[in-house]
Amino acid sequence: MTTQLLVTDRNLNFLGDPLTGWTKLSCDLNFNAPASGSVTLPAVPETMQLLQPGCRLVVIRDGDIWCAGPMEVPQDFAWDLQQNAGPGTVTVTYTDDLARVAGYLTYPEPTKTFAAQTTTSNVVRQITSTNAEQVIRTLVSENCGPTALAARRIERLVLDAVAGVGSARSISTRFEPLLDACRTVAASDGLGFRTRQVGDEIRFGVYAPADRTATARFSVGLGNLRSVRFTLAAPLATSELVQGGDDPAQQATPANQRVFVEVTSGAATDWYRVEKLVEESGKDNTQGELTQAGTLALGDDNPQASLSTVTVDTEDLKAGRDYGLGDKVTVVLPTGLEIADVVQTIRLEATPDEGELVTAVIGNSDKTTTSATVRTVRDLARRLGRLEAR
């Protein structure tokens, strides 16, 4: 495998020559979350001139773009006379273009500027479609994509080809982190979404991960299982009690009432009943929105089995070729138990001397990931967003 690093401006114009002399590269591609990566380079003038605010890093493996997106920390410079460090080193921290999408909120009236939003009531943006994909595409398009206000559009961002995936979905949203809204819609159908650079375009698309449990298998015997941790634990909730209605904009309306929906997982049969209240004020269940919120909550509260696994590429089974982010694969524990779970992260590590190592994190445990705080921050932002939007 050969790895090449290029720099572009925000309009995807390539700048200068490929970056050379790098000593360590890492890149985590994450399911329904922005990528995270870093690379260490000699701090020579021609390199430093390219590492500027607003620029993007493009990681190319064997001619294909592996990751492309903005530099979050374009210059982390270090120099030490005692180590005879020459020009010193610079470490670049980067992500993919999904991070740009993550920087937006859902406007209740996306055709208006923030200052022009309606002030007389708590207006929400409601989107209903025959499939979840279209709801997610609409959210992205009108907040930061082709149909957004000019000042909010992400340069070169377009919608990818329609995949036609997901069942009928609806969402009501108001100043919520955009990716949280997308995850809410995607959760019930297990859909994935991503950005990818194709030519001079950043394409945002939705896809349905594949069930590869029969073909993508990891075990000690196959030589592609590096570590595994399996925990069987009681659920945090088996019944999500979703409370909706009570729209603050209609306090004086007699028809404005509370709406209650219970979403259960069936885990109480094996364990015991555990209830949790989910607050969704201002929403009703005419399009199944409260049911959808309960299903999303169960994804966090009712993991009956937590699988933490790190796998490694072999000639017979490679990430990106034989399975991808969000796909369901099979892990055979040393005990003989077989577990099917989702690929959450695909990590690339490379050095000039040791070459490349590609590993995958399978399962829902944060213990094996390098970004355990991402989920905490995401959930906190989601809760605060609901409070502030009322």
Side-chain angles (χ1 to χ4, degrees):
M1 291 285 183
T2 58
T3 304
Q4 188 178 41
L5 306 179
L6 298 170
V7 176
T8 77
D9 62 17
R10 64 183 61 203
N11 287 299
L12 278 60
N13 298 307
F14 287 100
L15 307 175
D17 296 324
L19 300 178
T20 59
W22 55 270
T23 56
K24 185 178 182 181
L25 171 75
S26 68
C27 181
D28 286 2
L29 303 180
N30 300 308
F31 180 54
N32 288 358
S36 59
S38 66
V39 61
T40 301
L41 300 139
V44 295
E46 54 268 31
T47 294
M48 300 299 287
Q49 290 174 4
L50 297 175
L51 307 180
Q52 300 299 322
C55 288
R56 300 166 65 256
L57 187 69
V58 181
V59 180
I60 299 177
R61 297 181 68 227
D62 282 358
D64 295 324
I65 296 178
W66 177 264
C67 180
M71 302 179 194
E72 294 185 313
V73 182
Q75 295 186 19
D76 185 356
F77 173 76
W79 181 86
D80 189 335
L81 177 63
Q82 294 182 349
Q83 296 182 8
N84 191 25
T89 62
V90 60
T91 299
V92 179
T93 302
Y94 62 94
T95 181
D96 62 8
D97 291 304
L98 194 61
R100 293 285 308 275
V101 179
Y104 286 76
L105 301 179
T106 58
Y107 277 20
E109 298 173 289
T111 60
K112 300 180 180 179
T113 65
F114 179 75
Q117 298 291 308
T118 299
T119 60
T120 56
S121 63
N122 288 331
V123 177
V124 298
R125 175 67 172 115
Q126 184 166 17
I127 304 172
T128 302
S129 180
T130 54
N131 65 46
E133 177 190 10
Q134 188 55 50
V135 175
I136 296 172
R137 288 168 63 93
T138 300
L139 282 169
V140 171
S141 180
E142 67 185 20
N143 283 287
C144 63
T147 60
L149 295 173
R152 302 186 74 207
R153 290 177 199 157
I154 295 175
E155 298 87 353
R156 313 305 301 170
L157 180 65
V158 299
L159 298 180
D160 211 336
V162 174
V165 295
S167 53
R169 287 287 175 263
S170 177
I171 189 172
S172 294
T173 181
R174 174 183 170 83
F175 298 127
E176 180 182 6
L178 179 53
L179 281 196
D180 282 354
C182 292
R183 290 189 191 99
T184 298
V185 178
S188 296
D189 294 307
L191 299 181
F193 49 83
R194 62 195 169 197
T195 57
R196 59 194 186 104
Q197 179 176 336
V198 179
D200 61 353
E201 294 179 334
I202 300 170
R203 298 183 183 178
F204 175 90
V206 182
Y207 66 98
D211 183 345
R212 303 189 188 280
T213 51
T215 57
R217 297 173 61 84
F218 300 89
S219 70
V220 175
L222 292 173
N224 55 14
L225 185 61
R226 297 189 67 188
S227 67
V228 61
R229 182 170 182 174
F230 174 69
T231 303
L232 185 65
L236 299 176
T238 61
S239 294
E240 304 289 349
L241 309 180
V242 188
Q243 179 176 255
D246 193 26
D247 189 342
Q250 301 177 347
Q251 291 290 348
T253 304
N256 181 43
Q257 300 175 345
R258 281 290 189 183
V259 180
F260 302 103
V261 173
E262 179 177 355
V263 181
T264 61
S265 66
T269 303
D270 297 324
W271 294 90
Y272 36 77
R273 183 179 176 89
V274 183
E275 300 175 344
K276 179 181 177 181
L277 182 65
V278 179
E279 178 60 50
E280 292 288 334
S281 292
K283 300 180 181 180
D284 58 35
N285 205 40
T286 55
Q287 299 294 331
E289 293 183 69
L290 301 186
T291 302
Q292 183 172 272
T295 301
L296 182 65
L298 280 178
D300 291 332
D301 294 336
N302 196 34
Q304 298 181 62
S306 176
L307 178 66
S308 315
T309 302
V310 176
T311 69
V312 63
D313 266 7
T314 65
E315 288 300 321
D316 296 326
L317 189 60
K318 291 183 179 293
R321 185 191 71 185
D322 302 308
Y323 66 91
L325 290 172
D327 288 351
K328 184 175 287 188
V329 299
T330 299
V331 177
V332 182
L333 303 185
T335 62
L337 178 66
E338 294 191 5
I339 300 174
D341 216 324
V342 171
V343 178
Q344 298 289 351
T345 298
I346 297 176
R347 164 167 259 218
L348 167 66
E349 296 177 286
T351 63
D353 296 332
E354 299 179 2
E356 295 182 349
L357 175 65
V358 177
T359 60
V361 176
I362 300 167
N364 60 1
S365 174
D366 286 328
K367 296 175 183 177
T368 59
T369 71
T370 58
S371 55
T373 59
V374 171
R375 180 172 174 176
T376 301
V377 172
R378 181 198 74 195
D379 291 345
L380 178 61
R382 183 168 58 198
R383 292 195 298 270
L384 290 176
R386 288 174 178 167
L387 290 174
E388 294 170 354
R390 293 175 196 163

PDB file of all heavy atoms in Angstrom, residues 74-106:
ATOM      1  N   PRO A  74      -4.120  22.832  12.318  1.00  0.00           N
ATOM      2  CA  PRO A  74      -3.184  22.768  11.201  1.00  0.00           C
ATOM      3  C   PRO A  74      -1.721  22.836  11.618  1.00  0.00           C
ATOM      4  O   PRO A  74      -0.856  22.360  10.885  1.00  0.00           O
ATOM      5  CB  PRO A  74      -3.571  23.969  10.334  1.00  0.00           C
ATOM      6  CG  PRO A  74      -4.287  24.895  11.242  1.00  0.00           C
ATOM      7  CD  PRO A  74      -4.966  24.040  12.269  1.00  0.00           C
ATOM      8  N   GLN A  75      -1.443  23.411  12.789  1.00  0.00           N
ATOM      9  CA  GLN A  75      -0.049  23.527  13.213  1.00  0.00           C
ATOM     10  C   GLN A  75       0.083  23.313  14.719  1.00  0.00           C
ATOM     11  O   GLN A  75      -0.391  24.126  15.512  1.00  0.00           O
ATOM     12  CB  GLN A  75       0.521  24.903  12.855  1.00  0.00           C
ATOM     13  CG  GLN A  75       0.608  25.180  11.368  1.00  0.00           C
ATOM     14  CD  GLN A  75       1.320  26.492  11.065  1.00  0.00           C
ATOM     15  OE1 GLN A  75       2.047  27.028  11.891  1.00  0.00           O
ATOM     16  NE2 GLN A  75       1.127  27.002   9.852  1.00  0.00           N
ATOM     17  N   ASP A  76       0.701  22.188  15.084  1.00  0.00           N
ATOM     18  CA  ASP A  76       1.112  21.929  16.463  1.00  0.00           C
ATOM     19  C   ASP A  76       2.624  21.705  16.399  1.00  0.00           C
ATOM     20  O   ASP A  76       3.092  20.587  16.184  1.00  0.00           O
ATOM     21  CB  ASP A  76       0.381  20.706  17.019  1.00  0.00           C
ATOM     22  CG  ASP A  76       0.683  20.459  18.490  1.00  0.00           C
ATOM     23  OD1 ASP A  76       1.523  21.190  19.059  1.00  0.00           O
ATOM     24  OD2 ASP A  76       0.091  19.533  19.075  1.00  0.00           O
ATOM     25  N   PHE A  77       3.379  22.799  16.578  1.00  0.00           N
ATOM     26  CA  PHE A  77       4.813  22.808  16.297  1.00  0.00           C
ATOM     27  C   PHE A  77       5.627  22.487  17.545  1.00  0.00           C
ATOM     28  O   PHE A  77       5.277  22.901  18.655  1.00  0.00           O
ATOM     29  CB  PHE A  77       5.211  24.186  15.756  1.00  0.00           C
ATOM     30  CG  PHE A  77       6.684  24.382  15.575  1.00  0.00           C
ATOM     31  CD1 PHE A  77       7.347  23.796  14.506  1.00  0.00           C
ATOM     32  CD2 PHE A  77       7.417  25.145  16.476  1.00  0.00           C
ATOM     33  CE1 PHE A  77       8.713  23.979  14.334  1.00  0.00           C
ATOM     34  CE2 PHE A  77       8.778  25.333  16.315  1.00  0.00           C
ATOM     35  CZ  PHE A  77       9.431  24.738  15.240  1.00  0.00           C
ATOM     36  N   ALA A  78       6.723  21.735  17.360  1.00  0.00           N
ATOM     37  CA  ALA A  78       7.620  21.420  18.474  1.00  0.00           C
ATOM     38  C   ALA A  78       9.064  21.450  17.985  1.00  0.00           C
ATOM     39  O   ALA A  78       9.377  20.958  16.891  1.00  0.00           O
ATOM     40  CB  ALA A  78       7.279  20.046  19.055  1.00  0.00           C
ATOM     41  N   TRP A  79       9.952  22.027  18.822  1.00  0.00           N
ATOM     42  CA  TRP A  79      11.380  22.076  18.512  1.00  0.00           C
ATOM     43  C   TRP A  79      12.153  22.029  19.819  1.00  0.00           C
ATOM     44  O   TRP A  79      11.757  22.633  20.821  1.00  0.00           O
ATOM     45  CB  TRP A  79      11.716  23.349  17.749  1.00  0.00           C
ATOM     46  CG  TRP A  79      13.160  23.482  17.363  1.00  0.00           C
ATOM     47  CD1 TRP A  79      13.759  22.975  16.253  1.00  0.00           C
ATOM     48  CD2 TRP A  79      14.191  24.155  18.100  1.00  0.00           C
ATOM     49  NE1 TRP A  79      15.085  23.280  16.231  1.00  0.00           N
ATOM     50  CE2 TRP A  79      15.380  24.009  17.359  1.00  0.00           C
ATOM     51  CE3 TRP A  79      14.213  24.853  19.303  1.00  0.00           C
ATOM     52  CZ2 TRP A  79      16.592  24.546  17.790  1.00  0.00           C
ATOM     53  CZ3 TRP A  79      15.419  25.393  19.735  1.00  0.00           C
ATOM     54  CH2 TRP A  79      16.601  25.240  18.980  1.00  0.00           C
ATOM     55  N   ASP A  80      13.258  21.266  19.853  1.00  0.00           N
ATOM     56  CA  ASP A  80      14.048  21.108  21.072  1.00  0.00           C
ATOM     57  C   ASP A  80      15.519  21.074  20.700  1.00  0.00           C
ATOM     58  O   ASP A  80      15.964  20.168  19.987  1.00  0.00           O
ATOM     59  CB  ASP A  80      13.639  19.816  21.789  1.00  0.00           C
ATOM     60  CG  ASP A  80      14.257  19.697  23.171  1.00  0.00           C
ATOM     61  OD1 ASP A  80      15.318  20.300  23.413  1.00  0.00           O
ATOM     62  OD2 ASP A  80      13.673  18.991  24.020  1.00  0.00           O
ATOM     63  N   LEU A  81      16.281  22.039  21.185  1.00  0.00           N
ATOM     64  CA  LEU A  81      17.697  22.127  20.865  1.00  0.00           C
ATOM     65  C   LEU A  81      18.461  20.901  21.335  1.00  0.00           C
ATOM     66  O   LEU A  81      19.335  20.386  20.628  1.00  0.00           O
ATOM     67  CB  LEU A  81      18.293  23.390  21.496  1.00  0.00           C
ATOM     68  CG  LEU A  81      19.806  23.583  21.311  1.00  0.00           C
ATOM     69  CD1 LEU A  81      20.141  23.727  19.818  1.00  0.00           C
ATOM     70  CD2 LEU A  81      20.291  24.807  22.095  1.00  0.00           C
ATOM     71  N   GLN A  82      18.142  20.372  22.519  1.00  0.00           N
ATOM     72  CA  GLN A  82      18.862  19.242  23.076  1.00  0.00           C
ATOM     73  C   GLN A  82      18.686  17.976  22.253  1.00  0.00           C
ATOM     74  O   GLN A  82      19.526  17.079  22.284  1.00  0.00           O
ATOM     75  CB  GLN A  82      18.419  18.993  24.512  1.00  0.00           C
ATOM     76  CG  GLN A  82      18.795  20.128  25.464  1.00  0.00           C
ATOM     77  CD  GLN A  82      18.385  19.836  26.897  1.00  0.00           C
ATOM     78  OE1 GLN A  82      17.653  18.882  27.145  1.00  0.00           O
ATOM     79  NE2 GLN A  82      18.850  20.659  27.833  1.00  0.00           N
ATOM     80  N   GLN A  83      17.585  17.894  21.521  1.00  0.00           N
ATOM     81  CA  GLN A  83      17.342  16.710  20.693  1.00  0.00           C
ATOM     82  C   GLN A  83      17.843  16.894  19.267  1.00  0.00           C
ATOM     83  O   GLN A  83      17.626  16.036  18.419  1.00  0.00           O
ATOM     84  CB  GLN A  83      15.843  16.387  20.680  1.00  0.00           C
ATOM     85  CG  GLN A  83      15.299  15.993  22.049  1.00  0.00           C
ATOM     86  CD  GLN A  83      13.828  15.646  21.993  1.00  0.00           C
ATOM     87  OE1 GLN A  83      13.244  15.549  20.914  1.00  0.00           O
ATOM     88  NE2 GLN A  83      13.228  15.440  23.148  1.00  0.00           N
ATOM     89  N   ASN A  84      18.522  18.019  19.004  1.00  0.00           N
ATOM     90  CA  ASN A  84      19.034  18.288  17.659  1.00  0.00           C
ATOM     91  C   ASN A  84      17.929  18.078  16.629  1.00  0.00           C
ATOM     92  O   ASN A  84      18.069  17.330  15.667  1.00  0.00           O
ATOM     93  CB  ASN A  84      20.244  17.376  17.364  1.00  0.00           C
ATOM     94  CG  ASN A  84      20.962  17.798  16.089  1.00  0.00           C
ATOM     95  OD1 ASN A  84      20.894  18.957  15.684  1.00  0.00           O
ATOM     96  ND2 ASN A  84      21.659  16.853  15.470  1.00  0.00           N
ATOM     97  N   ALA A  85      16.819  18.771  16.861  1.00  0.00           N
ATOM     98  CA  ALA A  85      15.596  18.500  16.115  1.00  0.00           C
ATOM     99  C   ALA A  85      15.565  19.113  14.720  1.00  0.00           C
ATOM    100  O   ALA A  85      14.568  18.980  14.019  1.00  0.00           O
ATOM    101  CB  ALA A  85      14.391  18.991  16.913  1.00  0.00           C
ATOM    102  N   GLY A  86      16.628  19.783  14.280  1.00  0.00           N
ATOM    103  CA  GLY A  86      16.603  20.395  12.956  1.00  0.00           C
ATOM    104  C   GLY A  86      15.520  21.442  12.882  1.00  0.00           C
ATOM    105  O   GLY A  86      15.404  22.303  13.761  1.00  0.00           O
ATOM    106  N   PRO A  87      14.653  21.375  11.855  1.00  0.00           N
ATOM    107  CA  PRO A  87      13.591  22.385  11.737  1.00  0.00           C
ATOM    108  C   PRO A  87      12.445  22.161  12.719  1.00  0.00           C
ATOM    109  O   PRO A  87      11.512  22.958  12.777  1.00  0.00           O
ATOM    110  CB  PRO A  87      13.108  22.209  10.289  1.00  0.00           C
ATOM    111  CG  PRO A  87      13.366  20.770   9.997  1.00  0.00           C
ATOM    112  CD  PRO A  87      14.645  20.437  10.720  1.00  0.00           C
ATOM    113  N   GLY A  88      12.500  21.056  13.481  1.00  0.00           N
ATOM    114  CA  GLY A  88      11.397  20.732  14.366  1.00  0.00           C
ATOM    115  C   GLY A  88      10.341  19.908  13.647  1.00  0.00           C
ATOM    116  O   GLY A  88      10.493  19.542  12.472  1.00  0.00           O
ATOM    117  N   THR A  89       9.285  19.610  14.362  1.00  0.00           N
ATOM    118  CA  THR A  89       8.189  18.816  13.790  1.00  0.00           C
ATOM    119  C   THR A  89       6.880  19.571  13.945  1.00  0.00           C
ATOM    120  O   THR A  89       6.720  20.420  14.827  1.00  0.00           O
ATOM    121  CB  THR A  89       8.067  17.441  14.469  1.00  0.00           C
ATOM    122  OG1 THR A  89       7.771  17.637  15.860  1.00  0.00           O
ATOM    123  CG2 THR A  89       9.336  16.640  14.308  1.00  0.00           C
ATOM    124  N   VAL A  90       5.937  19.248  13.111  1.00  0.00           N
ATOM    125  CA  VAL A  90       4.594  19.806  13.205  1.00  0.00           C
ATOM    126  C   VAL A  90       3.597  18.651  13.098  1.00  0.00           C
ATOM    127  O   VAL A  90       3.729  17.777  12.233  1.00  0.00           O
ATOM    128  CB  VAL A  90       4.330  20.861  12.108  1.00  0.00           C
ATOM    129  CG1 VAL A  90       4.467  20.277  10.706  1.00  0.00           C
ATOM    130  CG2 VAL A  90       2.959  21.502  12.299  1.00  0.00           C
ATOM    131  N   THR A  91       2.645  18.631  14.014  1.00  0.00           N
ATOM    132  CA  THR A  91       1.594  17.617  14.000  1.00  0.00           C
ATOM    133  C   THR A  91       0.288  18.260  13.574  1.00  0.00           C
ATOM    134  O   THR A  91      -0.113  19.297  14.124  1.00  0.00           O
ATOM    135  CB  THR A  91       1.436  16.966  15.384  1.00  0.00           C
ATOM    136  OG1 THR A  91       2.655  16.321  15.743  1.00  0.00           O
ATOM    137  CG2 THR A  91       0.311  15.934  15.365  1.00  0.00           C
ATOM    138  N   VAL A  92      -0.344  17.670  12.599  1.00  0.00           N
ATOM    139  CA  VAL A  92      -1.614  18.158  12.065  1.00  0.00           C
ATOM    140  C   VAL A  92      -2.730  17.233  12.530  1.00  0.00           C
ATOM    141  O   VAL A  92      -2.639  16.016  12.374  1.00  0.00           O
ATOM    142  CB  VAL A  92      -1.586  18.200  10.520  1.00  0.00           C
ATOM    143  CG1 VAL A  92      -2.925  18.700   9.979  1.00  0.00           C
ATOM    144  CG2 VAL A  92      -0.441  19.074  10.030  1.00  0.00           C
ATOM    145  N   THR A  93      -3.757  17.808  13.104  1.00  0.00           N
ATOM    146  CA  THR A  93      -4.961  17.046  13.457  1.00  0.00           C
ATOM    147  C   THR A  93      -6.051  17.389  12.451  1.00  0.00           C
ATOM    148  O   THR A  93      -6.322  18.563  12.206  1.00  0.00           O
ATOM    149  CB  THR A  93      -5.432  17.393  14.878  1.00  0.00           C
ATOM    150  OG1 THR A  93      -4.384  17.118  15.807  1.00  0.00           O
ATOM    151  CG2 THR A  93      -6.653  16.567  15.250  1.00  0.00           C
ATOM    152  N   TYR A  94      -6.674  16.364  11.883  1.00  0.00           N
ATOM    153  CA  TYR A  94      -7.641  16.592  10.813  1.00  0.00           C
ATOM    154  C   TYR A  94      -8.865  15.704  10.999  1.00  0.00           C
ATOM    155  O   TYR A  94      -8.892  14.807  11.849  1.00  0.00           O
ATOM    156  CB  TYR A  94      -6.995  16.322   9.448  1.00  0.00           C
ATOM    157  CG  TYR A  94      -6.530  14.891   9.259  1.00  0.00           C
ATOM    158  CD1 TYR A  94      -7.353  13.948   8.652  1.00  0.00           C
ATOM    159  CD2 TYR A  94      -5.274  14.483   9.707  1.00  0.00           C
ATOM    160  CE1 TYR A  94      -6.936  12.629   8.487  1.00  0.00           C
ATOM    161  CE2 TYR A  94      -4.851  13.178   9.547  1.00  0.00           C
ATOM    162  CZ  TYR A  94      -5.687  12.252   8.938  1.00  0.00           C
ATOM    163  OH  TYR A  94      -5.278  10.954   8.795  1.00  0.00           O
ATOM    164  N   THR A  95      -9.876  15.959  10.206  1.00  0.00           N
ATOM    165  CA  THR A  95     -11.109  15.183  10.249  1.00  0.00           C
ATOM    166  C   THR A  95     -11.607  15.024   8.812  1.00  0.00           C
ATOM    167  O   THR A  95     -10.877  15.331   7.865  1.00  0.00           O
ATOM    168  CB  THR A  95     -12.148  15.881  11.141  1.00  0.00           C
ATOM    169  OG1 THR A  95     -13.358  15.106  11.192  1.00  0.00           O
ATOM    170  CG2 THR A  95     -12.478  17.273  10.621  1.00  0.00           C
ATOM    171  N   ASP A  96     -12.827  14.536   8.641  1.00  0.00           N
ATOM    172  CA  ASP A  96     -13.392  14.492   7.292  1.00  0.00           C
ATOM    173  C   ASP A  96     -14.462  15.566   7.161  1.00  0.00           C
ATOM    174  O   ASP A  96     -14.775  16.287   8.112  1.00  0.00           O
ATOM    175  CB  ASP A  96     -13.924  13.093   6.941  1.00  0.00           C
ATOM    176  CG  ASP A  96     -15.057  12.641   7.848  1.00  0.00           C
ATOM    177  OD1 ASP A  96     -15.544  13.462   8.654  1.00  0.00           O
ATOM    178  OD2 ASP A  96     -15.450  11.462   7.771  1.00  0.00           O
ATOM    179  N   ASP A  97     -15.038  15.686   5.971  1.00  0.00           N
ATOM    180  CA  ASP A  97     -15.965  16.783   5.712  1.00  0.00           C
ATOM    181  C   ASP A  97     -17.279  16.644   6.471  1.00  0.00           C
ATOM    182  O   ASP A  97     -18.052  17.609   6.540  1.00  0.00           O
ATOM    183  CB  ASP A  97     -16.231  16.902   4.212  1.00  0.00           C
ATOM    184  CG  ASP A  97     -15.002  17.376   3.445  1.00  0.00           C
ATOM    185  OD1 ASP A  97     -14.476  18.448   3.792  1.00  0.00           O
ATOM    186  OD2 ASP A  97     -14.562  16.671   2.514  1.00  0.00           O
ATOM    187  N   LEU A  98     -17.552  15.474   7.048  1.00  0.00           N
ATOM    188  CA  LEU A  98     -18.744  15.337   7.879  1.00  0.00           C
ATOM    189  C   LEU A  98     -18.652  16.246   9.108  1.00  0.00           C
ATOM    190  O   LEU A  98     -19.677  16.639   9.668  1.00  0.00           O
ATOM    191  CB  LEU A  98     -18.926  13.878   8.303  1.00  0.00           C
ATOM    192  CG  LEU A  98     -20.293  13.515   8.896  1.00  0.00           C
ATOM    193  CD1 LEU A  98     -21.403  13.765   7.884  1.00  0.00           C
ATOM    194  CD2 LEU A  98     -20.308  12.057   9.346  1.00  0.00           C
ATOM    195  N   ALA A  99     -17.436  16.595   9.514  1.00  0.00           N
ATOM    196  CA  ALA A  99     -17.269  17.517  10.628  1.00  0.00           C
ATOM    197  C   ALA A  99     -17.816  18.900  10.287  1.00  0.00           C
ATOM    198  O   ALA A  99     -18.282  19.628  11.177  1.00  0.00           O
ATOM    199  CB  ALA A  99     -15.792  17.620  11.012  1.00  0.00           C
ATOM    200  N   ARG A 100     -17.730  19.289   9.026  1.00  0.00           N
ATOM    201  CA  ARG A 100     -18.316  20.570   8.623  1.00  0.00           C
ATOM    202  C   ARG A 100     -19.836  20.527   8.804  1.00  0.00           C
ATOM    203  O   ARG A 100     -20.435  21.483   9.299  1.00  0.00           O
ATOM    204  CB  ARG A 100     -17.986  20.875   7.152  1.00  0.00           C
ATOM    205  CG  ARG A 100     -16.522  21.145   6.840  1.00  0.00           C
ATOM    206  CD  ARG A 100     -16.061  22.519   7.308  1.00  0.00           C
ATOM    207  NE  ARG A 100     -16.910  23.613   6.853  1.00  0.00           N
ATOM    208  CZ  ARG A 100     -16.792  24.226   5.668  1.00  0.00           C
ATOM    209  NH1 ARG A 100     -15.863  23.825   4.793  1.00  0.00           N
ATOM    210  NH2 ARG A 100     -17.585  25.227   5.347  1.00  0.00           N
ATOM    211  N   VAL A 101     -20.448  19.419   8.410  1.00  0.00           N
ATOM    212  CA  VAL A 101     -21.893  19.259   8.583  1.00  0.00           C
ATOM    213  C   VAL A 101     -22.251  19.295  10.066  1.00  0.00           C
ATOM    214  O   VAL A 101     -23.274  19.871  10.471  1.00  0.00           O
ATOM    215  CB  VAL A 101     -22.364  17.938   7.940  1.00  0.00           C
ATOM    216  CG1 VAL A 101     -23.871  17.745   8.134  1.00  0.00           C
ATOM    217  CG2 VAL A 101     -22.019  17.913   6.452  1.00  0.00           C
ATOM    218  N   ALA A 102     -21.396  18.695  10.899  1.00  0.00           N
ATOM    219  CA  ALA A 102     -21.653  18.640  12.337  1.00  0.00           C
ATOM    220  C   ALA A 102     -21.636  20.022  12.985  1.00  0.00           C
ATOM    221  O   ALA A 102     -22.126  20.180  14.110  1.00  0.00           O
ATOM    222  CB  ALA A 102     -20.617  17.740  13.013  1.00  0.00           C
ATOM    223  N   GLY A 103     -21.098  21.007  12.305  1.00  0.00           N
ATOM    224  CA  GLY A 103     -21.008  22.346  12.877  1.00  0.00           C
ATOM    225  C   GLY A 103     -22.271  23.174  12.757  1.00  0.00           C
ATOM    226  O   GLY A 103     -22.286  24.341  13.162  1.00  0.00           O
ATOM    227  N   TYR A 104     -23.351  22.588  12.244  1.00  0.00           N
ATOM    228  CA  TYR A 104     -24.575  23.340  12.001  1.00  0.00           C
ATOM    229  C   TYR A 104     -25.706  22.916  12.929  1.00  0.00           C
ATOM    230  O   TYR A 104     -25.721  21.793  13.429  1.00  0.00           O
ATOM    231  CB  TYR A 104     -25.027  23.158  10.551  1.00  0.00           C
ATOM    232  CG  TYR A 104     -24.178  23.926   9.559  1.00  0.00           C
ATOM    233  CD1 TYR A 104     -22.914  23.469   9.200  1.00  0.00           C
ATOM    234  CD2 TYR A 104     -24.624  25.119   8.995  1.00  0.00           C
ATOM    235  CE1 TYR A 104     -22.122  24.179   8.307  1.00  0.00           C
ATOM    236  CE2 TYR A 104     -23.848  25.832   8.096  1.00  0.00           C
ATOM    237  CZ  TYR A 104     -22.599  25.358   7.758  1.00  0.00           C
ATOM    238  OH  TYR A 104     -21.816  26.058   6.884  1.00  0.00           O
ATOM    239  N   LEU A 105     -26.663  23.829  13.125  1.00  0.00           N
ATOM    240  CA  LEU A 105     -27.899  23.555  13.845  1.00  0.00           C
ATOM    241  C   LEU A 105     -29.056  23.510  12.849  1.00  0.00           C
ATOM    242  O   LEU A 105     -28.955  24.052  11.742  1.00  0.00           O
ATOM    243  CB  LEU A 105     -28.178  24.634  14.893  1.00  0.00           C
ATOM    244  CG  LEU A 105     -27.120  24.847  15.972  1.00  0.00           C
ATOM    245  CD1 LEU A 105     -27.560  25.974  16.908  1.00  0.00           C
ATOM    246  CD2 LEU A 105     -26.860  23.569  16.754  1.00  0.00           C
ATOM    247  N   THR A 106     -30.148  22.884  13.255  1.00  0.00           N
ATOM    248  CA  THR A 106     -31.338  22.816  12.402  1.00  0.00           C
ATOM    249  C   THR A 106     -32.192  24.055  12.632  1.00  0.00           C
ATOM    250  O   THR A 106     -32.742  24.242  13.708  1.00  0.00           O
ATOM    251  CB  THR A 106     -32.162  21.563  12.717  1.00  0.00           C
ATOM    252  OG1 THR A 106     -32.529  21.583  14.112  1.00  0.00           O
ATOM    253  CG2 THR A 106     -31.370  20.302  12.426  1.00  0.00           C
TER     254      THR A 106
END
